[in-house]
């Protein structure tokens, strides 16, 4: 069981569990949960049902690292005494919008082996089916619950070029989609992935406005667990700001419109067509 480079210390296993369909539990996750000395769980009653399903009889202990440093320190003490511990959350991968960061950090600082047992994760599952660019993306967790903070948060992401991924609660989805339309515009591509791996799994894709309309019109689309994905900002959407205008005026002073637009596009990353039109409208004389 031990993967240890650290004397008699135990190992901390960070174990992913299903996000709905229990068929997604890996054999390795079952084996590890069966053989560790202790399972540290976010909610022991919830995890007891999972353990029962897989006939895992390992003792469960509650773990809340968001609120309680003592919990993490107690776990480190047990690991140092040679106990193997598995960390699980209610669903999916621990630490992904779930507890675990603190104990993993403390364990690594104490040179204790930290071993990932990978598996389901809602944001990765959603991204894998969204049909949005997946070469670069950023996971933003949950948006702030308060309207003003949420708006500021989204405004900071206005020019984010990577696909953005958010977790969202059903009772906030209409407000969040409305804020997204306000900030990113009605035409921005958006995907809402709901109830992944469960009976009512649904993936809605369209413009932000279209998805908002679907969700407003159908109460079923406001139920369950959900992931919102927003396509990143495209250079072609960038505004011609004062800096670009200044650059274009300098170029136009020396070059014909077509060449100025071409060089301007290379420097700024903006669309040549848009700069060509701007140059026609603003050429000197
Ligand atoms: N650690 C988990 C993971 O790996 O995805 C996420 C935990 S976070 C507290 C819970 C949120 O994840 C939900 O509110 C929802 O946004 C998202 N989520 C979890 N399961 C999901 C599912 N089956 N379908 C869609 N979203 C899900």
């Amino acid at each position: 069981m031990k993967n240890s480079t650290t004397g008699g210390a135990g190992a901390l296993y960070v174990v992913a569990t299903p996000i709905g369909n229990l068929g997604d539990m890996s054999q390795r996750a079952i084996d590890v949960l069966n053989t560790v000395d202790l399972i540290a769980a976010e909610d022991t009653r919830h995890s007891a049902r999972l353990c029962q399903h897989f006939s895992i009889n390992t003792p469960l202990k509650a773990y809340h690292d968001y609120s309680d440093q003592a919990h993490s320190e107690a776990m480190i003490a047990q690991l140092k005494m040679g106990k193997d511990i598995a960390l699980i959350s209610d669903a999916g991968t621990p630490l992904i919008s779930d507890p675990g960061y603190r104990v993993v950090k403390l364990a690594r600082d104490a040179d204790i082996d930290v071993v990932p047992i990978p598996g389901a994760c809602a944001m990765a599952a959603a991204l894998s089916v969204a049909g949005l660019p997946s070469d670069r993306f950023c996971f933003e967790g949950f948006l702030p619950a308060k309207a003003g903070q949420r708006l500021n948060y989204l405004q900071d992401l206005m020019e984010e070029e990577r696909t953005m991924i958010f977790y969202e609660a059903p009772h906030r989805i209409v407000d969040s989609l409305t804020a997204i339309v306000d900030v990113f515009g009605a035409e921005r591509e958006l995907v809402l992935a709901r109830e992944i791996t469960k009976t009512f799994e649904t993936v809605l894709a369209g413009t932000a406005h279209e998805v908002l309309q679907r969700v407003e019109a159908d109460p079923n689309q406001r139920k369950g667990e959900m992931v919102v994905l927003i396509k990143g900002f495209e250079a072609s959407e960038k505004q011609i700001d004062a800096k670009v205008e200044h650059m274009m005026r300098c170029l136009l002073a020396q070059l014909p419109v077509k060449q100025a637009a071409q060089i301007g596009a290379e420097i700024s990353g903006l669309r040549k067509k848009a700069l060509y039109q701007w140059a026609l409208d603003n050429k000197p004389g």
Side-chain angles (χ1 to χ4, degrees), residues 16-21 42 66 89-99 119-126 139 141-142 166-170 192-198 201-202 224-228:
T17 57
I19 54 169
N21 190 324
E42 201 184 349
Y66 288 149
S89 58
D90 286 354
T93 302
L95 280 84
I96 307 298
S97 290
D98 266 339
C121 177
M123 64 122 181
F139 173 59
F142 287 94
F166 303 88
Y167 284 162
E168 194 45 282
L192 178 64
R194 214 169 50 78
E195 294 289 88
I196 299 168
T197 76
K198 303 189 211 177
E201 179 177 282
T202 313
E225 298 194 280
M226 41 190 78
V227 183
V228 177

Side-chain angles (χ1 to χ4, degrees), residues 59-124:
L60 282 159
K61 197 170 183 305
Y63 169 68
H64 309 284
D65 79 344
Y66 288 149
S67 53
D68 196 347
Q69 168 106 14
H71 270 251
S72 309
E73 282 163 3
M75 269 170 73
I76 297 298
Q78 285 188 294
L79 287 159
K80 282 183 174 165
M81 283 175 352
K83 302 266 187 235
D84 287 322
I85 300 180
L87 175 71
I88 59 174
S89 58
D90 286 354
T93 302
L95 280 84
I96 307 298
S97 290
D98 266 339
Y101 164 69
R102 192 176 270 170
V103 70
V104 167
K105 171 82 178 116
L106 286 175
R108 297 204 72 81
D109 288 350
D111 264 344
I112 289 164
D113 279 341
V114 183
V115 184
I117 309 293
C121 177
M123 64 122 181

